[in-house]
Amino acid sequence: MRKWLDRYYGRLRTFKANYVLLNLMNPRRLTHARRMFRKYGITRSPLLPIDSSALPAADDRTPWLDRPDAQDRLLTDPRLKDLSRPVCDGILQWPDKGYMILRSLFTEAEVGAVNNEIDRLVRDGVVDFNFTGRKIMFAYRRSEAVRRMATDRRILDVLDLLLGRHMKLFQTINFLTGSEQAAHSDTIHMTTHPLGYLAAAWVALEPMTEENGPLIYYPGSHKLPYILNPTFDHGGGTFTIGEDAYAHYEVAVAKAITEHRLRPETFLARPGDVLIWHANLLHGGKRMTAPNASRKSMAAHYFADDVLCYHELTQRVAWMEEDPAGA
Ligand SMILES: O=C(O)CCC(=O)C(=O)O
């Protein structure tokens, strides 16, 4: 049923009752959410629709590097002394820029192994593109090589430090072409309570050029207020999710970019380079201008293991494996 829903994205997806039904049929996948509901005093059933408007305020739980004293605290943090210069510089720029780059983190052999795996999994029908026709979701559950890359200790260590909590892999997305996705922040798709305890690591699996639809991002945009359901016309009602909610969200983001005169940077990466971004950093995929351009890459999303993860736009709690990866 889930595969069918994934493929035939349409009106059916706008009925909240579908998600309640799916939740009822998958109680084990709600175990983590139930625990987080208890932890954060959320007194409703995780089966029901949820978005940020239904959650208690948790302002005192802002991630440590999103607070005004972040830079001062980093400069005196003894853990930074043990890091290589480029990693240390990346972490120091995080509070201001909302991203950091780890060059050549993966070798040619590691990149090749993941590319071969994805080719094989697609050929054998073990994984497939989702409704976008461009994204292969959760391949790490089917491939040791993908899982190894996404849960690489060097990435997880950096994430643990940046967020100040124990971070776990939630999901991987593999691309063979560019996403050409308009600017957005991950928090509209994968939201945490308290806010901000999510980050992504994006790995180039072949050279990125101006022509093959590279990743773009807007430095500093993570400091803007989060754009969530209460702040744009999502069009949803008691029983339905607005059919054009995502299109309206994209308009709200484009407006913020214009208002704040944000300028994108392009990640012209080499294979094995990694970009880590903040939960609220605006980013997207540039248009592919070369015909049949290939753009192999992988985005992995992580969240802190002691927060609630849910989907603001589709208003439902996130399903978890019994044990999210990356312990
Ligand atoms: O790879 C891209 O072009 C965009 C990826 C992205 O937006 C994401 O994974 O959140």
Side-chain angles (χ1 to χ4, degrees):
M1 173 140 182
R2 183 161 170 75
K3 198 163 177 183
W4 187 86
L5 262 182
D6 274 350
R7 186 168 280 274
Y8 299 101
Y9 185 77
R11 258 196 80 70
L12 197 60
R13 278 186 170 240
T14 64
F15 290 103
K16 293 181 180 177
N18 282 312
Y19 299 113
V20 176
L21 201 64
L22 287 170
N23 283 340
L24 269 169
M25 286 157 51
N26 291 275
R28 282 178 46 185
R29 292 180 166 187
L30 300 179
T31 307
H32 183 264
R34 282 188 200 286
R35 204 149 41 81
M36 292 303 112
F37 271 46
R38 281 195 297 275
K39 179 176 164 97
Y40 293 105
I42 303 164
T43 53
R44 54 195 282 134
S45 165
L47 298 170
L48 298 175
I50 190 162
D51 72 1
S52 55
S53 64
L55 290 165
D59 295 342
D60 58 333
R61 297 191 177 107
T62 304
W64 74 299
L65 294 184
D66 289 348
R67 297 180 195 174
D69 63 351
Q71 205 66 41
D72 294 341
R73 290 184 66 186
L74 272 179
L75 287 170
T76 54
D77 193 307
R79 291 172 298 177
L80 264 65
K81 291 201 181 73
D82 300 330
L83 302 173
S84 69
R85 191 75 247 168
V87 176
C88 187
D89 288 347
I91 289 172
L92 285 172
Q93 77 164 31
W94 179 266
D96 190 43
K97 304 275 195 227
Y99 75 92
M100 62 178 283
I101 292 172
L102 301 168
R103 295 274 175 206
S104 306
L105 192 72
F106 295 106
T107 63
E108 212 178 297
E110 288 167 323
V111 167
V114 168
N115 285 337
N116 290 340
E117 277 283 85
I118 295 294
D119 286 348
R120 181 182 64 79
L121 294 172
V122 172
R123 199 174 50 240
D124 295 350
V126 177
V127 296
D128 200 356
F129 296 94
N130 75 350
F131 65 90
T132 64
R134 299 182 190 220
K135 299 182 177 183
I136 300 168
M137 309 298 293
F138 295 104
Y140 81 90
R141 292 181 182 165
R142 306 298 182 140
S143 158
E144 201 37 52
V146 174
R147 189 182 184 95
R148 213 176 308 122
M149 181 173 274
T151 58
D152 187 282
R153 202 57 256 167
R154 293 165 298 176
I155 293 179
L156 289 168
D157 283 348
V158 166
L159 294 176
D160 286 357
L161 198 154
L162 292 175
L163 276 303
R165 298 210 188 185
H166 189 214
M167 300 294 285
K168 285 195 169 178
L169 177 66
F170 172 57
Q171 166 239 66
T172 53
I173 310 176
N174 283 82
F175 299 92
L176 300 182
T177 63
S179 72
E180 298 188 315
Q181 199 173 340
H184 62 281
S185 111
D186 287 337
T187 296
I188 195 67
H189 298 294
M190 291 156 286
T191 325
T192 64
H193 177 79
L195 265 181
Y197 287 98
L198 177 122
W202 189 98
V203 189
L205 297 174
E206 67 181 345
M208 297 298 138
T209 67
E210 285 291 354
E211 288 77 40
N212 69 353
L215 181 80
I216 55 162
Y217 54 94
Y218 292 80
S221 56
H222 67 299
K223 290 191 272 192
L224 298 179
Y226 283 81
I227 300 177
L228 295 168
N229 284 352
T231 57
F232 71 99
D233 174 22
H234 63 83
T238 309
F239 301 109
T240 55
I241 292 152
E243 219 171 327
D244 299 321
Y246 195 60
H248 291 171
Y249 167 78
E250 287 181 341
V251 170
V253 170
K255 199 163 149 241
I257 288 173
T258 307
E259 263 174 31
H260 295 274
R261 296 197 173 87
L262 300 177
R263 295 271 167 270
E265 282 179 8
T266 304
F267 190 37
L268 294 177
R270 305 289 313 153
D273 289 350
V274 176
L275 191 141
I276 295 177
W277 68 72
H278 184 283
N280 198 35
L281 189 84
L282 298 178
H283 63 278
K286 231 176 184 164
R287 251 173 43 74
M288 295 183 285
T289 53
N292 306 317
S294 165
R295 200 214 70 176
K296 293 178 181 167
S297 53
M298 178 170 85
H301 295 96
Y302 307 80
F303 68 94
D305 65 357
D306 58 351
V307 301
L308 172 69
C309 187
Y310 66 98
H311 306 290
E312 176 82 357
L313 204 68
T314 49
Q315 302 181 34
R316 59 203 166 94
V317 299
W319 281 359
M320 297 292 158
E321 283 181 283
E322 283 287 283
D323 173 27

